[in-house]
Amino acid sequence: MMDQGEEGDEEEAWLQLRPVEPLPSQCCGSGCSPCVFDIYQRDLARWEAARASKDRSLLSREETQSCPSKLSPETFLAFLISAVDRLTEDTYLVRFALPGNSQLGLRPGQHLILRGTVDDLEIQRAYTPISPANAEGYFEVLIKCYQTGLMSRYVKSWKAGDTAFWRGPFGGFFYKPNQYGELLMLAAGTGLAPMVPILQSITDNAEDETFITLVGCFKTFEGIYLKTFLQEQARFWNVRTFFVLSQENSLEQLPWSYRDRTRFGRLDRDLLEELVGSCRRKPFALVCGSAEFTKDMAGYLLHAGLAEDSYFLF
């Protein structure tokens, strides 16, 4: 029988094992399942059960392994940064190494959660790899940095040879070949990211005859991401690309190949209705961008005649 001192020491030992509740900054806000708070509640329930039965072995668990790289939705895994390329003034393309010729194991359009620490504050944000789903030995992520962003400060410090921590995959859109007659992709800025692997999975598959209309919204022509890739994709018989530039006003300043598929201003209700009407088959729309952009596009799509089950908002 333990005396009061031993009971106090035992209680203190259990309290030290109690899971720590996440800070709001540790939630990326993307609706991931499991969220960091889901994991906390699960671990807290495990701790309470172990404490009640005084059995610490109940706290141990095996890590989930969901793909060759051992990526897990619940556990952060370290990945080596092999290259950091600055695409524009505020956007970076970062390549991460995978062991041997392993694949990341994501479906096209799924995203990961990045964990960073700035000023002793842990933060988490969601990013979508743009590398092909079947890429071997690496994956690439497009990241836009903001002047006052905490994660941006962390990303700007990266260099080749550093390590970053990711968990996943997450995402509720699962593309199947020939599932839709036409995909209407509406992307603003780095919202282009989930469209890239979906687009490439279609053009890499000779048996997938899905039409694609991709509309990229950017501030300037120079600010368009992945121009070479998009130009190559537009050569496929089933792919069309359009651009909407909010801070340009002269077609003469653009290369000839862009002039007949570029509009100025913003992607408004009338232009979207025109794009929907020009689709060669009944479209299913994919939307990714800022919260404001996504909300606007959802309303415009409904006005253009698409039902709520005819579009997906990343």
Side-chain angles (χ1 to χ4, degrees):
M1 184 174 181
M2 290 188 296
D3 59 27
Q4 290 185 347
E6 290 175 329
E7 288 180 355
D9 291 342
E10 180 73 10
E11 180 66 15
E12 179 64 26
W14 276 107
L15 289 176
Q16 290 179 3
L17 294 172
R18 191 182 195 277
V20 178
E21 184 172 1
L23 298 172
S25 65
Q26 292 176 270
C27 176
C28 71
S30 298
C32 302
S33 180
C35 172
V36 288
F37 290 101
D38 296 330
I39 296 173
Y40 165 70
Q41 291 297 334
R42 183 206 60 199
D43 289 346
L44 180 62
R46 180 184 287 115
W47 176 81
E48 290 173 342
R51 183 186 182 192
S53 62
K54 297 183 179 181
D55 183 358
R56 297 190 187 186
S57 68
L58 296 178
L59 297 178
S60 64
R61 61 185 176 88
E62 295 182 358
E63 293 188 359
T64 301
Q65 295 188 4
S66 58
C67 66
S69 63
K70 300 181 183 179
L71 191 67
S72 166
E74 300 181 3
T75 306
F76 282 98
L77 187 68
F79 291 92
L80 181 71
I81 298 172
S82 57
V84 179
D85 294 322
R86 190 172 185 174
L87 299 186
T88 67
E89 183 178 350
D90 58 8
T91 305
Y92 298 82
L93 179 63
V94 187
R95 174 171 287 206
F96 299 86
L98 295 174
N101 291 323
S102 65
Q103 298 181 2
L104 190 59
L106 270 66
R107 296 184 181 184
Q110 285 191 301
H111 66 269
L112 302 174
I113 302 298
L114 171 67
R115 182 181 70 192
T117 303
V118 176
D119 297 335
D120 296 323
L121 180 66
E122 183 179 298
I123 47 180
Q124 299 185 25
R125 296 290 184 270
Y127 297 99
T128 303
I130 65 168
S131 43
N134 59 355
E136 297 182 348
Y138 77 96
F139 69 96
E140 293 178 325
V141 180
L142 188 67
I143 300 179
K144 181 174 181 177
C145 292
Y146 298 88
Q147 192 169 6
T148 58
L150 288 176
M151 185 62 82
S152 298
R153 285 173 55 189
Y154 173 62
V155 170
K156 286 180 179 179
S157 72
W158 283 351
K159 60 184 182 300
D162 288 347
T163 299
F165 292 84
W166 297 90
R167 68 182 178 97
F170 302 100
F173 178 76
F174 304 113
Y175 177 74
K176 298 178 182 178
N178 297 306
Q179 183 178 3
Y180 306 106
E182 180 158 359
L183 285 178
L184 175 60
M185 298 178 169
L186 308 175
T190 51
L192 180 67
M195 312 301 178
V196 170
I198 296 172
L199 172 59
Q200 189 156 16
S201 73
I202 294 172
T203 55
D204 281 350
N205 183 357
E207 296 183 358
D208 193 340
E209 297 186 344
T210 304
F211 281 105
I212 303 159
T213 296
L214 185 149
V215 184
C217 302
F218 299 91
K219 292 181 179 179
T220 64
F221 175 76
E222 291 301 322
I224 297 175
Y225 305 133
L226 309 176
K227 288 190 188 74
T228 301
F229 168 80
L230 294 177
Q231 287 282 65
E232 292 172 349
Q233 293 296 304
R235 295 191 179 101
F236 284 89
W237 64 272
N238 53 338
V239 178
R240 300 187 304 172
T241 57
F242 295 95
F243 301 95
V244 181
L245 306 178
S246 61
Q247 295 181 8
E248 300 274 12
N249 54 25
S250 174
L251 284 175
E252 286 71 26
Q253 299 297 319
L254 303 180
W256 279 102
S257 61
Y258 283 85
R259 294 184 185 183
D260 63 347
R261 49 198 180 98
T262 300
R263 300 289 187 91
F264 299 133
R266 295 189 179 277
L267 181 53
D268 57 21
R269 189 173 70 176
D270 291 340
L271 178 53
L272 183 55
E273 191 168 1
E274 179 183 333
L275 289 165
V276 170
S278 72
C279 287
R280 294 145 290 186
R281 297 172 181 167
K282 182 180 178 181
F284 183 91
L286 301 177
V287 182
C288 191
S290 67
E292 181 182 4
F293 176 84
T294 301
K295 180 181 177 182
D296 287 345
M297 293 306 108
Y300 297 162
L301 288 167
L302 289 173
H303 183 268
L306 270 69
E308 289 189 5
D309 61 358
S310 292
Y311 61 79
F312 181 86
L313 311 177
F314 285 98

